Amino acid sequence: MAGFLIAIISGALMSLQGVFNTNVTKASSVWVAAGFVQLTALITCVVMWFFNGRPSVKGIMAVSNKLYLLGGVIGAFITLTVVLSVSSLGVAKAELIIVITQAAVAYLIEIFGLFGSEKADFSWAKLIALAIAIGGVFMFYNVGKN
């Protein structure tokens, strides 16, 4: 139950962040806004690190696959793509497409056991559920269009 609630909070925060970042971009530029987001995220992480017992930073270098250290680079491009999609599609449409794409890619990662994730069995029911969700996005996107 806790994981479910945390996921709901995460989704809400992602939507808010998309709107906030898009508005910051209007006053500056996409890369300035993305840089500011990453900088404030770094500051937040450093502050929280002080309150979390200060585990060793050296642990980062213990990561077995150095490819996984590209999360921050990916984060910068997430910020960029969210801002661009929210500004061109609107908040609801952009976020729906983002979330459905997250679900589809996450399912593929699980099916193939990629990036150290536990491999999951293929399920037709999950694939159908994903197809229904994608259909819902198309319906949502086209509602109100003539």
Side-chain angles (χ1 to χ4, degrees), residues 23-61:
N23 286 323
V24 172
T25 298
K26 290 175 185 175
S28 59
S29 73
V30 173
W31 286 114
V32 170
F36 179 78
V37 167
Q38 300 301 317
L39 177 64
T40 56
L42 172 65
I43 293 167
T44 302
C45 289
V46 169
V47 168
M48 296 308 291
W49 176 75
F50 276 107
F51 291 104
N52 193 29
R54 296 185 208 150
S56 174
V57 176
K58 291 183 215 173
I60 297 243
M61 287 301 129

PDB file of all heavy atoms in Angstrom, residues 23-61:
ATOM      1  N   ASN A  23       6.766  26.807 -17.399  1.00  0.00           N
ATOM      2  CA  ASN A  23       6.629  28.238 -17.114  1.00  0.00           C
ATOM      3  C   ASN A  23       7.978  28.917 -16.917  1.00  0.00           C
ATOM      4  O   ASN A  23       8.157  30.067 -17.314  1.00  0.00           O
ATOM      5  CB  ASN A  23       5.720  28.453 -15.903  1.00  0.00           C
ATOM      6  CG  ASN A  23       4.271  28.200 -16.247  1.00  0.00           C
ATOM      7  OD1 ASN A  23       3.818  28.517 -17.342  1.00  0.00           O
ATOM      8  ND2 ASN A  23       3.538  27.601 -15.336  1.00  0.00           N
ATOM      9  N   VAL A  24       8.939  28.227 -16.312  1.00  0.00           N
ATOM     10  CA  VAL A  24      10.282  28.789 -16.172  1.00  0.00           C
ATOM     11  C   VAL A  24      10.914  28.949 -17.557  1.00  0.00           C
ATOM     12  O   VAL A  24      11.593  29.947 -17.834  1.00  0.00           O
ATOM     13  CB  VAL A  24      11.169  27.901 -15.255  1.00  0.00           C
ATOM     14  CG1 VAL A  24      12.621  28.372 -15.272  1.00  0.00           C
ATOM     15  CG2 VAL A  24      10.630  27.905 -13.834  1.00  0.00           C
ATOM     16  N   THR A  25      10.678  27.989 -18.430  1.00  0.00           N
ATOM     17  CA  THR A  25      11.231  28.040 -19.781  1.00  0.00           C
ATOM     18  C   THR A  25      10.726  29.263 -20.542  1.00  0.00           C
ATOM     19  O   THR A  25      11.468  29.877 -21.311  1.00  0.00           O
ATOM     20  CB  THR A  25      10.887  26.750 -20.554  1.00  0.00           C
ATOM     21  OG1 THR A  25      11.481  25.654 -19.867  1.00  0.00           O
ATOM     22  CG2 THR A  25      11.380  26.788 -21.975  1.00  0.00           C
ATOM     23  N   LYS A  26       9.471  29.629 -20.322  1.00  0.00           N
ATOM     24  CA  LYS A  26       8.905  30.803 -21.005  1.00  0.00           C
ATOM     25  C   LYS A  26       9.659  32.080 -20.653  1.00  0.00           C
ATOM     26  O   LYS A  26       9.734  33.002 -21.456  1.00  0.00           O
ATOM     27  CB  LYS A  26       7.428  30.962 -20.641  1.00  0.00           C
ATOM     28  CG  LYS A  26       6.539  29.893 -21.231  1.00  0.00           C
ATOM     29  CD  LYS A  26       5.106  30.049 -20.733  1.00  0.00           C
ATOM     30  CE  LYS A  26       4.238  28.899 -21.215  1.00  0.00           C
ATOM     31  NZ  LYS A  26       2.874  28.963 -20.641  1.00  0.00           N
ATOM     32  N   ALA A  27      10.238  32.120 -19.442  1.00  0.00           N
ATOM     33  CA  ALA A  27      10.957  33.310 -18.996  1.00  0.00           C
ATOM     34  C   ALA A  27      12.448  33.253 -19.337  1.00  0.00           C
ATOM     35  O   ALA A  27      13.146  34.251 -19.191  1.00  0.00           O
ATOM     36  CB  ALA A  27      10.788  33.489 -17.486  1.00  0.00           C
ATOM     37  N   SER A  28      12.923  32.088 -19.763  1.00  0.00           N
ATOM     38  CA  SER A  28      14.357  31.959 -20.048  1.00  0.00           C
ATOM     39  C   SER A  28      14.541  31.163 -21.337  1.00  0.00           C
ATOM     40  O   SER A  28      14.274  31.667 -22.402  1.00  0.00           O
ATOM     41  CB  SER A  28      15.076  31.292 -18.870  1.00  0.00           C
ATOM     42  OG  SER A  28      14.526  30.001 -18.603  1.00  0.00           O
ATOM     43  N   SER A  29      14.992  29.943 -21.228  1.00  0.00           N
ATOM     44  CA  SER A  29      15.114  29.035 -22.373  1.00  0.00           C
ATOM     45  C   SER A  29      15.044  27.610 -21.830  1.00  0.00           C
ATOM     46  O   SER A  29      15.134  27.390 -20.619  1.00  0.00           O
ATOM     47  CB  SER A  29      16.432  29.252 -23.114  1.00  0.00           C
ATOM     48  OG  SER A  29      17.520  28.730 -22.354  1.00  0.00           O
ATOM     49  N   VAL A  30      14.905  26.654 -22.721  1.00  0.00           N
ATOM     50  CA  VAL A  30      14.763  25.264 -22.294  1.00  0.00           C
ATOM     51  C   VAL A  30      15.986  24.796 -21.515  1.00  0.00           C
ATOM     52  O   VAL A  30      15.870  24.210 -20.442  1.00  0.00           O
ATOM     53  CB  VAL A  30      14.509  24.343 -23.511  1.00  0.00           C
ATOM     54  CG1 VAL A  30      14.541  22.895 -23.114  1.00  0.00           C
ATOM     55  CG2 VAL A  30      13.191  24.682 -24.165  1.00  0.00           C
ATOM     56  N   TRP A  31      17.179  25.068 -22.046  1.00  0.00           N
ATOM     57  CA  TRP A  31      18.378  24.564 -21.383  1.00  0.00           C
ATOM     58  C   TRP A  31      18.686  25.317 -20.103  1.00  0.00           C
ATOM     59  O   TRP A  31      19.213  24.738 -19.145  1.00  0.00           O
ATOM     60  CB  TRP A  31      19.568  24.557 -22.338  1.00  0.00           C
ATOM     61  CG  TRP A  31      19.420  23.446 -23.327  1.00  0.00           C
ATOM     62  CD1 TRP A  31      19.223  23.573 -24.668  1.00  0.00           C
ATOM     63  CD2 TRP A  31      19.418  22.046 -23.048  1.00  0.00           C
ATOM     64  NE1 TRP A  31      19.104  22.330 -25.248  1.00  0.00           N
ATOM     65  CE2 TRP A  31      19.218  21.358 -24.277  1.00  0.00           C
ATOM     66  CE3 TRP A  31      19.552  21.276 -21.898  1.00  0.00           C
ATOM     67  CZ2 TRP A  31      19.163  19.975 -24.375  1.00  0.00           C
ATOM     68  CZ3 TRP A  31      19.499  19.892 -21.994  1.00  0.00           C
ATOM     69  CH2 TRP A  31      19.306  19.266 -23.215  1.00  0.00           C
ATOM     70  N   VAL A  32      18.364  26.607 -20.039  1.00  0.00           N
ATOM     71  CA  VAL A  32      18.545  27.354 -18.787  1.00  0.00           C
ATOM     72  C   VAL A  32      17.603  26.791 -17.726  1.00  0.00           C
ATOM     73  O   VAL A  32      17.995  26.548 -16.583  1.00  0.00           O
ATOM     74  CB  VAL A  32      18.314  28.866 -18.995  1.00  0.00           C
ATOM     75  CG1 VAL A  32      18.265  29.604 -17.671  1.00  0.00           C
ATOM     76  CG2 VAL A  32      19.407  29.446 -19.887  1.00  0.00           C
ATOM     77  N   ALA A  33      16.355  26.555 -18.114  1.00  0.00           N
ATOM     78  CA  ALA A  33      15.384  25.990 -17.172  1.00  0.00           C
ATOM     79  C   ALA A  33      15.809  24.588 -16.733  1.00  0.00           C
ATOM     80  O   ALA A  33      15.765  24.267 -15.540  1.00  0.00           O
ATOM     81  CB  ALA A  33      13.994  25.946 -17.805  1.00  0.00           C
ATOM     82  N   ALA A  34      16.228  23.749 -17.687  1.00  0.00           N
ATOM     83  CA  ALA A  34      16.668  22.393 -17.342  1.00  0.00           C
ATOM     84  C   ALA A  34      17.888  22.437 -16.429  1.00  0.00           C
ATOM     85  O   ALA A  34      17.985  21.669 -15.464  1.00  0.00           O
ATOM     86  CB  ALA A  34      16.977  21.601 -18.612  1.00  0.00           C
ATOM     87  N   GLY A  35      18.815  23.339 -16.707  1.00  0.00           N
ATOM     88  CA  GLY A  35      19.992  23.484 -15.847  1.00  0.00           C
ATOM     89  C   GLY A  35      19.620  23.927 -14.446  1.00  0.00           C
ATOM     90  O   GLY A  35      20.161  23.415 -13.451  1.00  0.00           O
ATOM     91  N   PHE A  36      18.679  24.867 -14.356  1.00  0.00           N
ATOM     92  CA  PHE A  36      18.225  25.323 -13.041  1.00  0.00           C
ATOM     93  C   PHE A  36      17.565  24.187 -12.273  1.00  0.00           C
ATOM     94  O   PHE A  36      17.794  24.015 -11.078  1.00  0.00           O
ATOM     95  CB  PHE A  36      17.257  26.507 -13.197  1.00  0.00           C
ATOM     96  CG  PHE A  36      16.747  27.013 -11.885  1.00  0.00           C
ATOM     97  CD1 PHE A  36      17.541  27.818 -11.086  1.00  0.00           C
ATOM     98  CD2 PHE A  36      15.478  26.676 -11.436  1.00  0.00           C
ATOM     99  CE1 PHE A  36      17.088  28.287  -9.857  1.00  0.00           C
ATOM    100  CE2 PHE A  36      15.010  27.124 -10.217  1.00  0.00           C
ATOM    101  CZ  PHE A  36      15.816  27.941  -9.425  1.00  0.00           C
ATOM    102  N   VAL A  37      16.751  23.393 -12.970  1.00  0.00           N
ATOM    103  CA  VAL A  37      16.095  22.246 -12.338  1.00  0.00           C
ATOM    104  C   VAL A  37      17.142  21.276 -11.795  1.00  0.00           C
ATOM    105  O   VAL A  37      17.061  20.813 -10.649  1.00  0.00           O
ATOM    106  CB  VAL A  37      15.155  21.526 -13.335  1.00  0.00           C
ATOM    107  CG1 VAL A  37      14.708  20.178 -12.811  1.00  0.00           C
ATOM    108  CG2 VAL A  37      13.956  22.403 -13.642  1.00  0.00           C
ATOM    109  N   GLN A  38      18.149  20.973 -12.611  1.00  0.00           N
ATOM    110  CA  GLN A  38      19.185  20.033 -12.177  1.00  0.00           C
ATOM    111  C   GLN A  38      20.000  20.613 -11.022  1.00  0.00           C
ATOM    112  O   GLN A  38      20.355  19.892 -10.084  1.00  0.00           O
ATOM    113  CB  GLN A  38      20.102  19.667 -13.353  1.00  0.00           C
ATOM    114  CG  GLN A  38      19.388  19.004 -14.513  1.00  0.00           C
ATOM    115  CD  GLN A  38      18.675  17.718 -14.139  1.00  0.00           C
ATOM    116  OE1 GLN A  38      19.209  16.895 -13.416  1.00  0.00           O
ATOM    117  NE2 GLN A  38      17.466  17.543 -14.637  1.00  0.00           N
ATOM    118  N   LEU A  39      20.298  21.904 -11.072  1.00  0.00           N
ATOM    119  CA  LEU A  39      21.053  22.549  -9.995  1.00  0.00           C
ATOM    120  C   LEU A  39      20.272  22.522  -8.682  1.00  0.00           C
ATOM    121  O   LEU A  39      20.829  22.175  -7.632  1.00  0.00           O
ATOM    122  CB  LEU A  39      21.407  23.990 -10.377  1.00  0.00           C
ATOM    123  CG  LEU A  39      22.132  24.798  -9.291  1.00  0.00           C
ATOM    124  CD1 LEU A  39      23.501  24.189  -8.994  1.00  0.00           C
ATOM    125  CD2 LEU A  39      22.261  26.249  -9.736  1.00  0.00           C
ATOM    126  N   THR A  40      18.992  22.878  -8.748  1.00  0.00           N
ATOM    127  CA  THR A  40      18.196  22.865  -7.517  1.00  0.00           C
ATOM    128  C   THR A  40      17.989  21.438  -7.015  1.00  0.00           C
ATOM    129  O   THR A  40      17.910  21.215  -5.802  1.00  0.00           O
ATOM    130  CB  THR A  40      16.845  23.580  -7.708  1.00  0.00           C
ATOM    131  OG1 THR A  40      16.141  22.986  -8.800  1.00  0.00           O
ATOM    132  CG2 THR A  40      17.038  25.068  -7.955  1.00  0.00           C
ATOM    133  N   ALA A  41      17.938  20.466  -7.924  1.00  0.00           N
ATOM    134  CA  ALA A  41      17.860  19.061  -7.509  1.00  0.00           C
ATOM    135  C   ALA A  41      19.141  18.665  -6.784  1.00  0.00           C
ATOM    136  O   ALA A  41      19.102  17.982  -5.749  1.00  0.00           O
ATOM    137  CB  ALA A  41      17.620  18.157  -8.715  1.00  0.00           C
ATOM    138  N   LEU A  42      20.295  19.090  -7.309  1.00  0.00           N
ATOM    139  CA  LEU A  42      21.577  18.800  -6.655  1.00  0.00           C
ATOM    140  C   LEU A  42      21.624  19.407  -5.260  1.00  0.00           C
ATOM    141  O   LEU A  42      21.998  18.736  -4.284  1.00  0.00           O
ATOM    142  CB  LEU A  42      22.742  19.325  -7.502  1.00  0.00           C
ATOM    143  CG  LEU A  42      24.121  19.257  -6.831  1.00  0.00           C
ATOM    144  CD1 LEU A  42      24.531  17.808  -6.596  1.00  0.00           C
ATOM    145  CD2 LEU A  42      25.151  19.995  -7.664  1.00  0.00           C
ATOM    146  N   ILE A  43      21.228  20.658  -5.152  1.00  0.00           N
ATOM    147  CA  ILE A  43      21.229  21.326  -3.844  1.00  0.00           C
ATOM    148  C   ILE A  43      20.311  20.591  -2.869  1.00  0.00           C
ATOM    149  O   ILE A  43      20.674  20.342  -1.713  1.00  0.00           O
ATOM    150  CB  ILE A  43      20.827  22.818  -3.991  1.00  0.00           C
ATOM    151  CG1 ILE A  43      21.911  23.575  -4.757  1.00  0.00           C
ATOM    152  CG2 ILE A  43      20.554  23.452  -2.629  1.00  0.00           C
ATOM    153  CD1 ILE A  43      21.489  24.961  -5.233  1.00  0.00           C
ATOM    154  N   THR A  44      19.124  20.199  -3.335  1.00  0.00           N
ATOM    155  CA  THR A  44      18.185  19.455  -2.492  1.00  0.00           C
ATOM    156  C   THR A  44      18.800  18.136  -2.043  1.00  0.00           C
ATOM    157  O   THR A  44      18.705  17.762  -0.859  1.00  0.00           O
ATOM    158  CB  THR A  44      16.865  19.199  -3.246  1.00  0.00           C
ATOM    159  OG1 THR A  44      16.312  20.450  -3.638  1.00  0.00           O
ATOM    160  CG2 THR A  44      15.868  18.437  -2.385  1.00  0.00           C
ATOM    161  N   CYS A  45      19.451  17.433  -2.965  1.00  0.00           N
ATOM    162  CA  CYS A  45      20.073  16.143  -2.620  1.00  0.00           C
ATOM    163  C   CYS A  45      21.195  16.319  -1.602  1.00  0.00           C
ATOM    164  O   CYS A  45      21.318  15.510  -0.666  1.00  0.00           O
ATOM    165  CB  CYS A  45      20.602  15.457  -3.874  1.00  0.00           C
ATOM    166  SG  CYS A  45      19.286  14.843  -4.938  1.00  0.00           S
ATOM    167  N   VAL A  46      21.994  17.357  -1.754  1.00  0.00           N
ATOM    168  CA  VAL A  46      23.082  17.600  -0.796  1.00  0.00           C
ATOM    169  C   VAL A  46      22.513  17.910   0.583  1.00  0.00           C
ATOM    170  O   VAL A  46      22.972  17.371   1.597  1.00  0.00           O
ATOM    171  CB  VAL A  46      24.018  18.729  -1.292  1.00  0.00           C
ATOM    172  CG1 VAL A  46      24.978  19.173  -0.202  1.00  0.00           C
ATOM    173  CG2 VAL A  46      24.776  18.281  -2.542  1.00  0.00           C
ATOM    174  N   VAL A  47      21.491  18.743   0.633  1.00  0.00           N
ATOM    175  CA  VAL A  47      20.857  19.066   1.920  1.00  0.00           C
ATOM    176  C   VAL A  47      20.270  17.804   2.558  1.00  0.00           C
ATOM    177  O   VAL A  47      20.479  17.535   3.746  1.00  0.00           O
ATOM    178  CB  VAL A  47      19.778  20.163   1.744  1.00  0.00           C
ATOM    179  CG1 VAL A  47      18.918  20.306   3.000  1.00  0.00           C
ATOM    180  CG2 VAL A  47      20.425  21.491   1.375  1.00  0.00           C
ATOM    181  N   MET A  48      19.557  17.002   1.772  1.00  0.00           N
ATOM    182  CA  MET A  48      18.962  15.778   2.315  1.00  0.00           C
ATOM    183  C   MET A  48      20.035  14.770   2.734  1.00  0.00           C
ATOM    184  O   MET A  48      19.857  14.033   3.707  1.00  0.00           O
ATOM    185  CB  MET A  48      18.009  15.147   1.297  1.00  0.00           C
ATOM    186  CG  MET A  48      16.808  16.022   0.963  1.00  0.00           C
ATOM    187  SD  MET A  48      15.885  16.603   2.411  1.00  0.00           S
ATOM    188  CE  MET A  48      15.189  15.088   2.979  1.00  0.00           C
ATOM    189  N   TRP A  49      21.167  14.758   2.048  1.00  0.00           N
ATOM    190  CA  TRP A  49      22.289  13.880   2.395  1.00  0.00           C
ATOM    191  C   TRP A  49      22.782  14.194   3.800  1.00  0.00           C
ATOM    192  O   TRP A  49      23.099  13.292   4.575  1.00  0.00           O
ATOM    193  CB  TRP A  49      23.391  14.058   1.352  1.00  0.00           C
ATOM    194  CG  TRP A  49      24.651  13.290   1.616  1.00  0.00           C
ATOM    195  CD1 TRP A  49      24.846  11.952   1.446  1.00  0.00           C
ATOM    196  CD2 TRP A  49      25.897  13.821   2.062  1.00  0.00           C
ATOM    197  NE1 TRP A  49      26.140  11.615   1.764  1.00  0.00           N
ATOM    198  CE2 TRP A  49      26.810  12.752   2.149  1.00  0.00           C
ATOM    199  CE3 TRP A  49      26.331  15.102   2.403  1.00  0.00           C
ATOM    200  CZ2 TRP A  49      28.127  12.919   2.550  1.00  0.00           C
ATOM    201  CZ3 TRP A  49      27.645  15.273   2.793  1.00  0.00           C
ATOM    202  CH2 TRP A  49      28.519  14.195   2.876  1.00  0.00           C
ATOM    203  N   PHE A  50      22.826  15.487   4.149  1.00  0.00           N
ATOM    204  CA  PHE A  50      23.256  15.885   5.501  1.00  0.00           C
ATOM    205  C   PHE A  50      22.313  15.345   6.567  1.00  0.00           C
ATOM    206  O   PHE A  50      22.742  15.018   7.670  1.00  0.00           O
ATOM    207  CB  PHE A  50      23.362  17.409   5.621  1.00  0.00           C
ATOM    208  CG  PHE A  50      24.658  17.953   5.125  1.00  0.00           C
ATOM    209  CD1 PHE A  50      24.720  18.634   3.926  1.00  0.00           C
ATOM    210  CD2 PHE A  50      25.825  17.785   5.857  1.00  0.00           C
ATOM    211  CE1 PHE A  50      25.919  19.140   3.454  1.00  0.00           C
ATOM    212  CE2 PHE A  50      27.042  18.279   5.406  1.00  0.00           C
ATOM    213  CZ  PHE A  50      27.084  18.960   4.194  1.00  0.00           C
ATOM    214  N   PHE A  51      21.032  15.250   6.254  1.00  0.00           N
ATOM    215  CA  PHE A  51      20.049  14.773   7.228  1.00  0.00           C
ATOM    216  C   PHE A  51      19.861  13.259   7.196  1.00  0.00           C
ATOM    217  O   PHE A  51      19.077  12.713   7.961  1.00  0.00           O
ATOM    218  CB  PHE A  51      18.695  15.460   6.990  1.00  0.00           C
ATOM    219  CG  PHE A  51      18.720  16.915   7.321  1.00  0.00           C
ATOM    220  CD1 PHE A  51      18.763  17.862   6.311  1.00  0.00           C
ATOM    221  CD2 PHE A  51      18.718  17.337   8.645  1.00  0.00           C
ATOM    222  CE1 PHE A  51      18.797  19.212   6.612  1.00  0.00           C
ATOM    223  CE2 PHE A  51      18.757  18.693   8.963  1.00  0.00           C
ATOM    224  CZ  PHE A  51      18.795  19.628   7.941  1.00  0.00           C
ATOM    225  N   ASN A  52      20.578  12.581   6.307  1.00  0.00           N
ATOM    226  CA  ASN A  52      20.378  11.149   6.134  1.00  0.00           C
ATOM    227  C   ASN A  52      21.595  10.331   6.567  1.00  0.00           C
ATOM    228  O   ASN A  52      21.859   9.270   6.027  1.00  0.00           O
ATOM    229  CB  ASN A  52      20.041  10.857   4.664  1.00  0.00           C
ATOM    230  CG  ASN A  52      19.513   9.462   4.450  1.00  0.00           C
ATOM    231  OD1 ASN A  52      18.898   8.894   5.335  1.00  0.00           O
ATOM    232  ND2 ASN A  52      19.765   8.914   3.287  1.00  0.00           N
ATOM    233  N   GLY A  53      22.358  10.831   7.517  1.00  0.00           N
ATOM    234  CA  GLY A  53      23.480  10.075   8.039  1.00  0.00           C
ATOM    235  C   GLY A  53      24.730  10.127   7.199  1.00  0.00           C
ATOM    236  O   GLY A  53      25.722   9.475   7.505  1.00  0.00           O
ATOM    237  N   ARG A  54      24.723  10.871   6.131  1.00  0.00           N
ATOM    238  CA  ARG A  54      25.872  11.074   5.255  1.00  0.00           C
ATOM    239  C   ARG A  54      26.569   9.787   4.818  1.00  0.00           C
ATOM    240  O   ARG A  54      27.745   9.566   5.095  1.00  0.00           O
ATOM    241  CB  ARG A  54      26.875  12.004   5.925  1.00  0.00           C
ATOM    242  CG  ARG A  54      26.303  13.370   6.128  1.00  0.00           C
ATOM    243  CD  ARG A  54      27.328  14.318   6.671  1.00  0.00           C
ATOM    244  NE  ARG A  54      26.598  15.323   7.430  1.00  0.00           N
ATOM    245  CZ  ARG A  54      27.058  15.959   8.465  1.00  0.00           C
ATOM    246  NH1 ARG A  54      28.261  15.715   8.895  1.00  0.00           N
ATOM    247  NH2 ARG A  54      26.339  16.844   9.076  1.00  0.00           N
ATOM    248  N   PRO A  55      25.850   8.917   4.112  1.00  0.00           N
ATOM    249  CA  PRO A  55      26.517   7.718   3.591  1.00  0.00           C
ATOM    250  C   PRO A  55      27.632   8.112   2.616  1.00  0.00           C
ATOM    251  O   PRO A  55      27.584   9.173   2.004  1.00  0.00           O
ATOM    252  CB  PRO A  55      25.404   6.948   2.887  1.00  0.00           C
ATOM    253  CG  PRO A  55      24.292   7.914   2.715  1.00  0.00           C
ATOM    254  CD  PRO A  55      24.459   8.995   3.725  1.00  0.00           C
ATOM    255  N   SER A  56      28.614   7.262   2.468  1.00  0.00           N
ATOM    256  CA  SER A  56      29.791   7.559   1.663  1.00  0.00           C
ATOM    257  C   SER A  56      29.440   7.829   0.204  1.00  0.00           C
ATOM    258  O   SER A  56      28.704   7.070  -0.427  1.00  0.00           O
ATOM    259  CB  SER A  56      30.774   6.395   1.730  1.00  0.00           C
ATOM    260  OG  SER A  56      31.847   6.621   0.842  1.00  0.00           O
ATOM    261  N   VAL A  57      30.003   8.887  -0.322  1.00  0.00           N
ATOM    262  CA  VAL A  57      29.823   9.243  -1.723  1.00  0.00           C
ATOM    263  C   VAL A  57      30.614   8.267  -2.602  1.00  0.00           C
ATOM    264  O   VAL A  57      30.283   8.061  -3.773  1.00  0.00           O
ATOM    265  CB  VAL A  57      30.276  10.701  -1.966  1.00  0.00           C
ATOM    266  CG1 VAL A  57      30.185  11.079  -3.434  1.00  0.00           C
ATOM    267  CG2 VAL A  57      29.449  11.656  -1.124  1.00  0.00           C
ATOM    268  N   LYS A  58      31.634   7.644  -2.044  1.00  0.00           N
ATOM    269  CA  LYS A  58      32.453   6.696  -2.803  1.00  0.00           C
ATOM    270  C   LYS A  58      31.625   5.520  -3.326  1.00  0.00           C
ATOM    271  O   LYS A  58      32.032   4.863  -4.271  1.00  0.00           O
ATOM    272  CB  LYS A  58      33.591   6.159  -1.930  1.00  0.00           C
ATOM    273  CG  LYS A  58      34.633   7.178  -1.592  1.00  0.00           C
ATOM    274  CD  LYS A  58      35.736   6.506  -0.786  1.00  0.00           C
ATOM    275  CE  LYS A  58      36.266   7.470   0.246  1.00  0.00           C
ATOM    276  NZ  LYS A  58      37.205   6.830   1.158  1.00  0.00           N
ATOM    277  N   GLY A  59      30.498   5.266  -2.703  1.00  0.00           N
ATOM    278  CA  GLY A  59      29.632   4.167  -3.139  1.00  0.00           C
ATOM    279  C   GLY A  59      29.204   4.283  -4.588  1.00  0.00           C
ATOM    280  O   GLY A  59      28.930   3.289  -5.251  1.00  0.00           O
ATOM    281  N   ILE A  60      29.167   5.501  -5.090  1.00  0.00           N
ATOM    282  CA  ILE A  60      28.788   5.717  -6.491  1.00  0.00           C
ATOM    283  C   ILE A  60      29.743   4.969  -7.422  1.00  0.00           C
ATOM    284  O   ILE A  60      29.330   4.397  -8.418  1.00  0.00           O
ATOM    285  CB  ILE A  60      28.789   7.224  -6.823  1.00  0.00           C
ATOM    286  CG1 ILE A  60      27.756   7.917  -5.984  1.00  0.00           C
ATOM    287  CG2 ILE A  60      28.652   7.474  -8.310  1.00  0.00           C
ATOM    288  CD1 ILE A  60      26.630   8.571  -6.650  1.00  0.00           C
ATOM    289  N   MET A  61      31.013   4.993  -7.099  1.00  0.00           N
ATOM    290  CA  MET A  61      32.002   4.329  -7.955  1.00  0.00           C
ATOM    291  C   MET A  61      31.947   2.806  -7.828  1.00  0.00           C
ATOM    292  O   MET A  61      32.543   2.097  -8.625  1.00  0.00           O
ATOM    293  CB  MET A  61      33.415   4.828  -7.631  1.00  0.00           C
ATOM    294  CG  MET A  61      33.640   6.237  -8.123  1.00  0.00           C
ATOM    295  SD  MET A  61      33.398   6.312  -9.906  1.00  0.00           S
ATOM    296  CE  MET A  61      32.275   7.651 -10.088  1.00  0.00           C
TER     297      MET A  61
END
